[in-house]
Amino acid sequence: MPSIRKSLLQLLFSGSSMKRWNDKLRPMELFEVDKQAHKMMVAWMLYETNARGLPLDERLALGEAVVEGGLFEYLYRLVITDIKPPVFYKIKANPDHYRRLTAWVMDQLTPRIQVLGETFTQRFREHLAVPDRRDPASRILHAAHIYASRYEFHLIKHLNPWDEELDEIEEDFTATLTAHSDIKGVPELLTEGHPFERFASLCGRLRFQTRWSQTPRIPETTVLGHLFIVAACAYLFSLELNACRARRVNNFFSGLFHDLPELLTRDIISPVKRSVEGISDLIAQYEHDALERRVFSLLRQAGAPDLADRLAYFLGIEFGSEFETVVRKKDGKVLRTDWRALAESYNHDEFDAKDGGLLKICDNLAAFLEAYTALRNGITSDQLQHALWRIQGAYAQEPFQHGVHIGSLLADFD
């Protein structure tokens, strides 16, 4: 399979500049990539809740349908850009109009996504061919989409008291979520103060944290948006590596949540962690305690201890790092491994593998995209230049890591 290239990465990143609610007065800029991250976090909770008791193959099939459906909808949204929802819904209601719009969207996207293979492109076409899909994964995604949009709406509602659209928008959000109440977890999302809803709301706050907070950039990315870019890259690289379905799904959701502790500690940069002996261990212990108190406990209170355990697995709590490559043996024991052993011996769904080394590459790649784009947009900064030099230099020495030709990919940006 051809390798992922610069044009696809730049397309994924473009959602960091795509503004939402830009016809309303806003307390802060709201961006598409942040909304997508929040949507997929909520979709993960609904997926895990509704997959309980399913056989492994059915559970993973549902998980991948949720992941790919979310990616397909994001890429579609990037192309149609500022079509307001009421207008888009009218287009979807007319089969001919929707077919023509979708054909045009695919014409725009195909040159960039074809590196992922014809099978992926065909799945994309088939997903878009049906405007209102009613399968379980699509309904989970739609409920998560409405929740995340409703969360943003509540941020701007009080600033727009004169806007006659607001009551109608809120009623539509509530009615649509209520129509999905047969999905386990949705009634709890509708119940303010329920631990499930509190956790979903907590995740949304990551949009308030700006990355590189002391470095001017355009666009100013948030921790929430960064998580989605890392997750998307992790999934797409997993396809390139011919990873099994469990690895693909795990890599996406591990990337999506890997910086969740920053909600509790904010972004503590590596030089600070290395400046005082023992401070890194102290920070790790604090993050663990805070996660237990403010995150895992919420999921347990919601009657979902399995979700708390799953999130701990994604975050690498057992080994102290989200970037450890791990597998789960048949006896339930989690073991560290390396990418070669993973590919040769553990690339099977039953091992529940997670490519921590690949996540680290994707984390660095997302930071590289942030710095590169800011510099291309005219922001001159020693910190940004140093970040590009550091990341490119690291992969120039070892261009092939975790099965990915990351050095040649970064060379595309020269």
Side-chain angles (χ1 to χ4, degrees):
M1 178 183 289
S3 297
I4 293 168
R5 308 313 303 172
K6 173 183 177 181
S7 61
L8 178 56
L9 294 176
Q10 289 183 308
L11 175 64
L12 286 173
F13 189 71
S14 66
S16 301
S17 299
M18 185 175 172
K19 297 178 180 178
R20 293 177 52 79
W21 302 96
N22 58 359
D23 59 342
K24 310 294 182 189
L25 181 60
R26 305 177 296 284
M28 58 180 289
E29 291 294 359
L30 302 170
F31 294 100
E32 185 65 29
V33 73
D34 298 348
K35 148 63 191 307
Q36 294 294 330
H38 196 196
K39 164 187 169 180
M40 294 308 292
M41 287 174 165
V42 175
W44 169 77
M45 294 191 297
L46 296 177
Y47 152 60
E48 292 283 2
T49 301
N50 288 272
R52 288 192 188 112
L54 292 180
L56 178 63
D57 57 341
E58 292 182 28
R59 178 164 58 83
L60 292 175
L62 177 60
E64 186 157 58
V66 168
V67 170
E68 287 202 342
L71 289 173
F72 295 157
E73 291 167 10
Y74 173 63
L75 292 170
Y76 191 96
R77 182 79 178 98
L78 292 178
V79 177
I80 66 172
T81 62
D82 283 337
I83 297 179
K84 291 187 67 171
V87 177
F88 182 58
Y89 295 151
K90 288 184 178 180
I91 292 173
K92 290 176 73 173
N94 184 307
D96 182 58
H97 291 172
Y98 177 76
R99 180 188 56 78
R100 285 190 283 166
L101 175 64
T102 299
W104 177 78
V105 169
M106 285 303 302
D107 286 343
Q108 304 303 306
L109 289 175
T110 298
R112 301 196 190 191
I113 66 171
Q114 62 188 358
V115 297
L116 298 169
E118 181 54 37
T119 302
F120 179 86
T121 305
Q122 184 59 32
R123 290 200 300 271
F124 198 166
R125 289 195 186 98
E126 291 172 356
H127 182 88
L128 297 183
V130 181
D132 286 304
R133 303 177 67 89
R134 304 298 295 170
D135 57 280
S138 296
R139 296 192 71 231
I140 284 172
L141 284 168
H142 191 52
H145 155 70
I146 294 298
Y147 176 86
S149 295
R150 183 171 173 257
Y151 181 97
E152 289 180 327
F153 173 78
H154 287 153
L155 295 177
I156 68 170
K157 179 182 176 182
H158 69 286
L159 293 177
N160 297 268
W162 60 84
D163 193 325
E164 59 189 23
E165 285 187 315
L166 294 188
D167 289 342
E168 182 180 347
I169 291 172
E170 184 160 34
E171 289 172 4
D172 183 64
F173 282 154
T174 302
T176 304
L177 268 180
T178 301
H180 288 75
S181 291
D182 59 305
I183 300 173
K184 296 174 184 177
V186 170
E188 289 80 359
L189 287 175
L190 280 163
T191 306
E192 186 175 353
H194 189 280
F196 208 66
E197 191 278 332
R198 287 166 58 199
F199 175 71
S201 177
L202 195 67
C203 291
R205 295 183 204 172
L206 285 165
R207 64 167 39 84
F208 304 146
Q209 291 185 217
T210 304
R211 282 171 54 80
W212 312 66
S213 59
Q214 295 180 330
T215 304
R217 290 173 304 117
I218 297 176
E220 284 196 343
T221 51
T222 70
V223 172
L224 189 58
H226 169 77
L227 292 175
F228 185 82
I229 299 300
V230 173
C233 288
Y235 185 78
L236 298 182
F237 280 122
S238 298
L239 291 176
E240 185 176 314
L241 293 172
N242 292 316
C244 67
R245 181 174 272 168
R247 280 174 68 193
R248 297 195 298 263
V249 173
N250 287 348
N251 289 344
F252 180 87
F253 288 122
S254 295
L256 187 67
F257 285 105
H258 80 275
D259 277 339
L260 186 64
E262 291 187 14
L263 182 65
L264 314 173
T265 63
R266 294 201 295 180
D267 184 18
I268 302 172
I269 60 176
S270 295
V272 172
K273 293 179 181 178
R274 294 193 297 260
S275 62
V276 179
E277 184 178 354
I279 197 170
S280 180
D281 292 338
L282 178 65
I283 291 168
Q285 184 59 50
Y286 174 78
E287 287 180 344
H288 181 273
D289 293 344
L291 281 168
E292 181 60 42
R293 185 177 68 256
R294 298 185 55 195
V295 176
F296 299 152
S297 64
L298 278 179
L299 293 173
R300 293 189 181 103
Q301 289 172 33
D306 52 331
L307 269 67
D309 294 341
R310 198 71 188 145
L311 198 55
Y313 182 67
F314 292 154
L315 293 171
I317 297 299
E318 184 172 349
F319 295 109
S321 173
E322 66 274 30
F323 298 129
E324 292 284 352
T325 296
V326 296
V327 296
R328 193 187 305 275
K329 301 298 286 288
K330 292 182 179 179
D331 61 3
K333 186 177 181 179
V334 178
L335 299 177
R336 288 188 181 99
T337 188
D338 59 64
W339 72 270
R340 287 183 175 85
L342 188 60
E344 294 170 2
S345 304
Y346 299 113
N347 191 30
H348 305 284
D349 290 341
E350 60 264 30
F351 291 111
D352 194 27
K354 185 191 78 166
D355 296 62
L358 181 63
L359 293 180
K360 184 60 178 177
I361 290 173
C362 295
D363 190 45
N364 285 333
L365 184 56
F368 181 90
L369 287 169
E370 292 167 348
Y372 178 86
T373 305
L375 288 165
R376 288 295 298 267
N377 286 335
I379 304 299
T380 302
S381 163
D382 290 343
Q383 291 90 340
L384 296 174
Q385 293 282 8
H386 177 73
L388 289 190
W389 172 83
R390 177 181 58 80
I391 295 171
Q392 282 184 310
Y395 293 115
Q397 296 172 17
E398 289 188 70
F400 183 75
Q401 293 191 21
H402 209 88
V404 175
H405 291 277
I406 185 66
S408 62
L409 176 55
L410 292 179
D412 275 358
F413 291 84
D414 287 341

